[in-house]
Amino acid sequence: MHTSFADQLAGLDLAGFSIGPAPVSTSDFPVREAVVQTLEAVWSDLFAMVSGTALEADAEDLGWAFVNIFHRSAERKSTAVDRATDEVRALIATADGSEVHTHELETQVERAQCAESAMLALEEMREVAAALYLNEFGSSWKPVSSSRFNHSVMLTSALVEGRDFLRARAEAKRRAAVPEGTPVVFAGGRTRHATEDDALTFGNNVWATLDKVRDRVPDMVLIHGGDTKGVDRLASSWAERRGIPQVTFSLDMRLGTRAGFKRNERMLSLDPRYVIAFPGNGVLERLVIEAKTRRITVVDRRGPLGTNPKSTSAGAD
C-alpha cells in the first residue's frame, strides 16, 4: 500500500523527511472472524445469564452498555490521533531540515498511524457488537451524546506521511461526518396504537415507504431527528438493516420552543430530494409546508397507520 503512494509523495517537499511504510498493519489486530465469534459468544452468555432473572428487564440497557465499551475506546483513540496530528502540524510548520527535527516528525506520524489503526479496529468491534444489539432488540444502537462515525472505508490517512497525512485525516473526518449521497429527510412523531397488529402494520408501512424511496434514490442518505422513542427509531433500524448512511439532527434544547423549527431549517438546508412525513405534531406540519414551498417532493404518510391521507380520503368518499 505504501508503494501506491510513491508517485504522489515523490513531488512533495518534505524537508528531508523520509517516507516509510506504516508501523502497523491490519495483521497486527484481531481478524474479523475472531472478533465476530468472540463477541457473539460473550453476548450469548451474557443474556443467557440474565434471562429469567430480575435483571431481564434491564437487558437492553446491558446490551447498550456492551456496545458502548467499544465506542468509548474508539473515541479515546480518535482523540489520541487528533493530538498526534496537531503535533505533526506543528513540526511541519517549524521544519528546519535537521536530523533531530526529522526524527521527531517521523515519531509523531508513527504515533498517529498506530492510534488510528487501533481506532479502526475498535470501531469494527463496535459495529459487530452493534449488529448483535440490532438483532436482539430490533433497533439501531446510538450513543448518548456523540456521533457514531465509521472510518473503516477511509484508510489512506493511516498510510500516508507528513502533509498528506494531515490532508487525508481531515478528509476522513469530513467524510465520516457528512456521508456522500443524496439527502432524504424522514420525519414523524411518537404514536400509540390500539393493538399489536396496528403497530405492526404501521411499522411495515414505514419500512415499505423507505424501500420505495430507496429504489428511486439508490445513493440516499437518511436524515432524521434521532428520537429513540418515536418513529425515527423505526427509520434508523431500517437504515442499519439496509446499509444506508444516516445523519441525525437532535433538538437543541437551549432554543426552547424554537428547537423543532430550527431543526427543520437545518435539515431542509441540505436540499433533500424527498421529505418523508409520518404522523406528528405542528412542528412536522410546518416542515411539510416549508418543503412544499421549496418545491421539495413530499412523500405524505400522515394518514391512519402511516398511509397516504389522500388515498384514505378517497376510500371514505
Side-chain angles (χ1 to χ4, degrees):
M1 288 184 287
H2 161 65
T3 304
S4 67
F5 289 97
D7 292 338
Q8 299 177 43
L9 296 175
L12 292 177
D13 177 15
L14 295 179
F17 179 37
S18 61
I19 305 302
V24 293
S25 67
T26 53
S27 63
D28 294 310
F29 296 94
V31 298
R32 180 175 177 81
E33 290 76 12
V35 170
V36 172
Q37 291 177 7
T38 302
L39 295 190
E40 282 182 347
V42 173
W43 184 275
S44 177
D45 288 346
L46 173 63
F47 288 100
M49 178 183 67
V50 300
S51 179
T53 73
L55 290 178
E56 189 169 6
D58 300 307
E60 187 167 355
D61 288 341
L62 291 173
W64 184 93
F66 181 81
V67 184
N68 197 52
I69 291 172
F70 301 103
H71 177 70
R72 291 294 300 275
S73 296
E75 279 194 325
R76 285 193 290 270
K77 288 297 181 182
S78 181
T79 300
V81 175
D82 289 337
R83 286 198 298 265
T85 300
D86 289 340
E87 291 292 334
V88 171
R89 184 178 291 108
L91 287 168
I92 289 178
T94 59
D96 58 11
S98 69
E99 185 176 345
V100 172
H101 185 278
T102 300
H103 176 71
E104 290 179 358
L105 182 56
E106 289 175 340
T107 299
Q108 286 299 334
V109 168
E110 286 191 357
R111 287 177 181 173
Q113 289 175 323
C114 290
E116 188 166 51
S117 296
M119 178 193 72
L120 295 173
L122 288 165
E123 283 186 344
E124 182 178 43
M125 293 179 184
R126 181 200 60 200
E127 292 305 306
V128 170
L132 294 171
Y133 181 91
L134 177 64
N135 290 333
E136 185 78 29
F137 303 108
S139 61
S140 179
W141 185 88
K142 183 178 181 295
V144 171
S145 59
S146 60
S147 297
R148 178 180 159 187
F149 295 157
N150 187 2
H151 300 80
S152 61
V153 296
M154 292 159 277
L155 299 176
T156 53
S157 56
L159 306 172
V160 187
E161 311 288 343
R163 293 182 179 89
D164 266 18
F165 175 86
L166 297 179
R167 283 195 292 268
R169 171 66 182 165
E171 176 66 10
K173 293 185 73 173
R174 185 194 68 79
R175 290 178 58 195
V178 186
E180 295 180 359
T182 302
V184 172
V185 171
F186 180 93
R190 300 182 181 184
T191 58
R192 292 180 177 272
H193 302 286
T195 66
E196 289 187 6
D197 287 341
D198 284 351
L200 180 60
T201 299
F202 180 81
N204 288 338
N205 285 338
V206 170
W207 279 47
T209 300
L210 288 166
D211 280 334
K212 289 180 180 178
V213 172
R214 186 192 59 169
D215 290 341
R216 297 182 182 182
V217 189
D219 66 336
M220 72 180 287
V221 176
L222 187 67
I223 312 298
H224 60 86
D227 184 2
T228 58
K229 296 183 180 179
V231 70
D232 287 346
R233 178 172 181 169
L234 291 173
S236 180
S237 297
W238 171 87
E240 186 150 342
R241 291 284 191 186
R242 299 291 192 263
I244 302 297
Q246 50 185 316
V247 178
T248 60
F249 283 81
S250 301
L251 290 172
D252 184 351
M253 303 312 296
R254 295 172 299 178
L255 299 175
T257 57
R258 295 177 49 245
F261 299 103
K262 186 62 178 178
R263 178 169 64 184
N264 288 352
E265 293 177 13
R266 293 168 62 201
M267 293 195 296
L268 292 178
S269 70
L270 299 177
D271 193 23
R273 176 79 171 274
Y274 293 100
V275 169
I276 304 173
F278 277 80
N281 57 18
V283 176
L284 183 140
E285 300 297 323
R286 190 65 213 173
L287 172 67
V288 171
I289 293 171
E290 183 62 26
K292 291 180 177 179
T293 301
R294 300 188 185 199
R295 299 181 180 274
I296 299 171
T297 302
V298 175
V299 180
D300 198 341
R301 294 294 184 269
R302 291 175 292 167
L305 301 182
T307 58
N308 187 325
K310 292 183 179 179
S311 62
T312 304
S313 299
D317 293 339

